[in-house]
Amino acid sequence: RDRIRFVLDPGVARYVLIASKDGRGNVTVYFPYGATESAAVPPGRQELPGSIELDQVLGHERLVAVFSHSPVRVEQLGSALAAADAAEISGAVAELAVDFVKEAP
């Protein structure tokens, strides 16, 4: 039940999409929460509103942030949620992937 917050600096990108794939294969879009595509963000460093509570699904989880010049649809993430590869995401200018394992206490 840890909570995480997102702070980003989009650089030259105008849109951001943050999503994860949990140990059961479920995909969750964190920013914009529950959306089907990335959202426009203003330039400069910013903390996104709210926080996300991690669920209790155990196993490998991958969190991906995609920065782009135009909106990116969630379906375009495909292999990026399995193995980070921004080159496969049309319009992506940068991608950050974080892998972690959730284990039982």
Side-chain angles (χ1 to χ4, degrees):
R1 299 247 181 237
D2 289 334
R3 298 190 73 80
I4 56 175
R5 297 182 65 87
F6 300 105
V7 177
L8 57 92
D9 186 341
V12 298
R14 295 179 40 220
Y15 294 85
V16 175
L17 177 63
I18 302 173
S20 74
K21 184 175 183 180
D22 68 20
R24 289 188 187 144
N26 299 317
V27 174
T28 303
V29 177
Y30 294 126
F31 181 80
Y33 189 76
T36 58
E37 67 181 25
S38 54
V41 292
R45 182 179 160 86
Q46 59 205 282
E47 184 172 327
L48 298 179
S51 63
I52 301 299
E53 182 177 304
L54 297 177
D55 60 24
Q56 296 180 0
V57 175
L58 302 179
H60 177 265
E61 186 150 342
R62 170 163 279 205
L63 182 72
V64 174
V66 177
F67 299 83
S68 59
H69 292 303
S70 59
V72 170
R73 297 195 52 79
V74 173
E75 301 88 51
Q76 290 176 262
L77 296 182
S79 65
L81 286 169
D85 189 356
E88 293 186 22
I89 301 174
S90 178
V93 294
E95 178 183 312
L96 171 67
V98 177
D99 294 308
F100 54 96
V101 177
K102 294 192 290 187
E103 299 175 335

